[in-house]
Amino acid sequence: MSILKDLPNLVNAEVISKETADKIRAYYQNKEGPPSNKLFVVFGILGAILVGLGIILIIAHNWDELSRGTKTIFAFLPLIVGQLFCGFTLLKRKQSVAWRESSAAFLFFAVGASISLVSQIYHIPGNLGSFLLVWMLLCLPLIYVMQSSMASLLYLVGITYYAGEVSYWSYPSSESYFYWLLLLGVFPHYYQLIKKRAHSNFVFFHNWLIPISLTIVLGTVAEHMDELMFIAYFSLFGLFYLIGGMDFLTQQRLRNNSYKLLGALGTSILLLSLSFDWFWESLRRKEFLFNEVIIAPEFWVSAFLSVVAGVLFFLQYKNKGIRKVKPFAPVFLLFILTFLLGLYSPLAGVLINFYIFILGILTIREGALQNHLGILNYGLLIITALVICRFFDTDLSFVIRGILFVSVGIGFFATNYWMLKKRRTDEQ
């Protein structure tokens, strides 16, 4: 870090004392952990993956000419080599991030290759879902034995693919309930990663991959009451947005705060999707029987996510005034009330359009207050998207539609010009 390089100069200039410089140096060394070359880590991981895939391709080219015994040896060879590398790393290179991550990545793929090859050699029956489940279960300990964040990321991709395979592409033959238990297995490592290396690239990738995985897989719980999943998704995105408001994420740049970005984007997309009348018309035609709703998995998932998001909302804003509440934070609560109203009244669709408009205005205001062009333009995009939706959904004349688009375009230009002018004034 540049601050560590400047310490000798600061000591020589008598800006700080030598004792203070030693404390600063010790602080950053403890914070960052053992020094490592990021490029070496990346190329080490890529090299391990490519070597593993290359070995598999070489074996596959001559596979039909090999005897069963030879095939079995080759099936276990990548697994043995991967374990030897991991053993050497734990004994001799435990402090090296590059060795830990690359050897763990190699062994991760070696496990999958060995399982598939043995199954093919001895004609063991099974399907892709069961193969992925066994593979991920065997690789879960690898995350903690090797302290490998790369193995954790590969594991998250694997369990997400498993959930999609058994509940989306094989529906309705099986369910992906094991996914939720498998996901819990990675959280201890994720917590330790945030605690010890909050600003590392591995934390950044985990911050994106975990909410994306949850967003993809949440839909697998839907069975016969799909409408309730809108409540579940609104609460999920509300929970993401509130998590993004926690201290360890607000201290980072907005583009690194995946929870806040996904929460805001997901909420906006859902609101725009439900701004049309078709959903509310079909909702009023559907009959919801209490005995069926109370046992539906969609109801319990929606209730659980709503309660968790509601508790987090209360904890974050209990000591703050209403003016401190961020625009996207209470939307999931408003939608629950709107959904209940939509069971009986067409007014729900009007309220959704009102929410979108107010959300856009408040987001523009927040961007102006924070002097943040990205937030300001996102608010303008929300209003633009609302205008486009109503362009296809109403019988307004082309003149009025044209005036609306011109007005939004002028709004984009005027607000950005005002913001840039304000920045120049502040700098002067």
Side-chain angles (χ1 to χ4, degrees):
M1 293 182 64
S2 60
I3 190 172
L4 297 179
K5 295 177 181 178
D6 294 336
L7 287 179
N9 296 331
L10 294 173
V11 173
N12 294 333
E14 297 184 352
V15 176
I16 59 175
S17 64
K18 187 176 183 302
E19 292 76 15
T20 303
D22 292 337
K23 290 180 180 179
I24 293 173
R25 189 178 291 105
Y27 169 77
Y28 279 103
Q29 287 176 349
N30 292 331
K31 180 180 178 181
E32 294 176 358
S36 61
N37 188 314
K38 293 181 180 179
L39 283 177
F40 185 57
V41 174
V42 172
F43 287 126
I45 294 171
L46 290 175
I49 293 173
L50 291 173
V51 168
L53 293 176
I55 292 172
I56 293 172
L57 289 174
I58 292 171
I59 296 173
H61 180 70
N62 302 293
W63 191 252
D64 293 334
E65 301 175 5
L66 302 176
S67 64
R68 175 174 288 190
T70 306
K71 289 179 180 179
T72 303
I73 293 173
F74 277 118
F76 283 100
L77 182 61
L79 185 62
I80 295 171
V81 172
Q83 288 177 323
L84 290 174
F85 272 119
C86 288
F88 174 79
T89 301
L90 291 175
L91 293 174
K92 300 293 184 179
R93 297 287 190 273
K94 191 173 184 179
Q95 300 303 319
S96 172
V97 177
W99 273 91
R100 287 204 317 271
E101 300 296 349
S102 57
S103 58
F106 183 91
L107 183 56
F108 185 94
F109 286 103
V111 171
S114 296
I115 295 172
S116 59
L117 289 173
V118 170
S119 299
Q120 191 269 340
I121 294 168
Y122 294 97
H123 305 291
I124 300 173
N127 52 43
L128 181 57
S130 60
F131 162 70
L132 289 170
L133 178 60
V134 173
W135 186 5
M136 295 305 109
L137 285 172
L138 290 175
C139 288
L140 176 58
L142 184 63
I143 299 172
Y144 298 97
V145 173
M146 298 299 299
Q147 291 296 305
S148 170
S149 296
M150 190 63 205
S152 176
L153 293 172
L154 293 171
Y155 174 83
L156 285 169
V157 173
I159 63 174
T160 304
Y161 188 56
Y162 157 75
E165 170 63 27
V166 300
S167 288
Y168 287 135
W169 305 306
S170 299
Y171 181 84
S173 60
S174 58
E175 302 292 344
S176 62
Y177 293 127
F178 280 118
Y179 164 85
W180 306 103
L181 295 175
L182 294 170
L183 182 65
L184 290 176
V186 82
F187 277 117
H189 176 77
Y190 182 44
Y191 173 75
Q192 290 297 323
L193 200 59
I194 292 174
K195 190 176 179 181
K196 296 179 180 179
R197 302 175 63 191
H199 300 282
S200 70
N201 290 327
F202 283 123
V203 172
F204 170 80
F205 288 118
H206 276 81
N207 286 347
W208 277 100
L209 196 53
I210 288 176
I212 289 174
S213 177
L214 284 169
T215 302
I216 293 172
V217 179
L218 181 61
T220 63
V221 304
E223 290 184 358
H224 306 295
M225 295 188 178
D226 297 346
E227 294 81 2
L228 294 178
M229 291 305 299
F230 282 99
I231 296 178
Y233 269 107
F234 265 103
S235 297
L236 179 67
F237 290 131
L239 180 61
F240 286 165
Y241 190 83
L242 291 166
I243 291 173
M246 292 182 171
D247 292 338
F248 78 96
L249 286 169
T250 54
Q251 295 171 0
Q252 302 186 22
R253 294 182 178 182
L254 182 59
R255 65 172 178 264
N256 294 338
N257 192 341
S258 57
Y259 288 97
K260 193 169 188 177
L261 291 175
L262 289 173
L265 182 62
T267 299
S268 302
I269 292 173
L270 286 177
L271 284 172
L272 290 168
S273 301
L274 299 183
S275 66
F276 297 89
D277 291 331
W278 62 267
F279 172 78
W280 303 104
E281 290 174 357
S282 64
L283 185 66
R284 290 193 297 274
R285 288 195 299 267
K286 182 153 185 175
E287 185 178 5
F288 290 91
L289 300 177
F290 178 79
N291 292 336
E292 295 179 358
V293 171
I294 200 67
I295 62 173
E298 298 93 332
F299 169 78
W300 288 105
V301 169
S302 301
F304 173 76
L305 289 173
S306 300
V307 169
V308 173
V311 169
L312 188 56
F313 178 81
F314 173 77
L315 293 175
Q316 283 193 8
Y317 294 104
K318 65 177 180 179
N319 297 323
K320 301 177 182 178
I322 191 171
R323 292 186 178 182
K324 296 293 184 179
V325 177
K326 299 295 183 181
F328 285 91
V331 172
F332 74 98
L333 294 172
L334 295 173
F335 177 75
I336 293 173
L337 299 175
T338 306
F339 184 88
L340 296 175
L341 177 65
L343 295 172
Y344 310 101
S345 171
L347 185 61
V350 178
L351 286 175
I352 291 293
N353 283 271
F354 176 73
Y355 295 157
I356 297 171
F357 180 74
I358 296 299
L359 193 61
I361 297 296
L362 292 176
T363 304
I364 293 171
R365 177 178 176 272
E366 185 182 6
L369 292 174
Q370 297 184 18
N371 195 22
H372 197 295
L373 278 173
I375 297 176
L376 183 142
N377 283 308
Y378 186 65
L380 289 168
L381 282 173
I382 292 174
I383 294 179
T384 304
L386 178 62
V387 171
I388 293 173
C389 289
R390 298 292 71 78
F391 179 89
F392 297 103
D393 193 39
T394 59
D395 296 327
L396 296 175
S397 66
F398 283 98
V399 175
I400 296 177
R401 293 177 182 180
I403 292 173
L404 288 174
F405 276 104
V406 170
S407 301
V408 173
I410 293 173
F412 263 102
F413 175 78
T415 51
N416 280 275
Y417 176 78
W418 172 78
M419 179 72 77
L420 292 172
K421 185 176 181 181
K422 180 184 175 184
R423 285 185 176 181
R424 289 195 211 99
T425 304
D426 292 340
E427 289 173 358
Q428 294 174 358

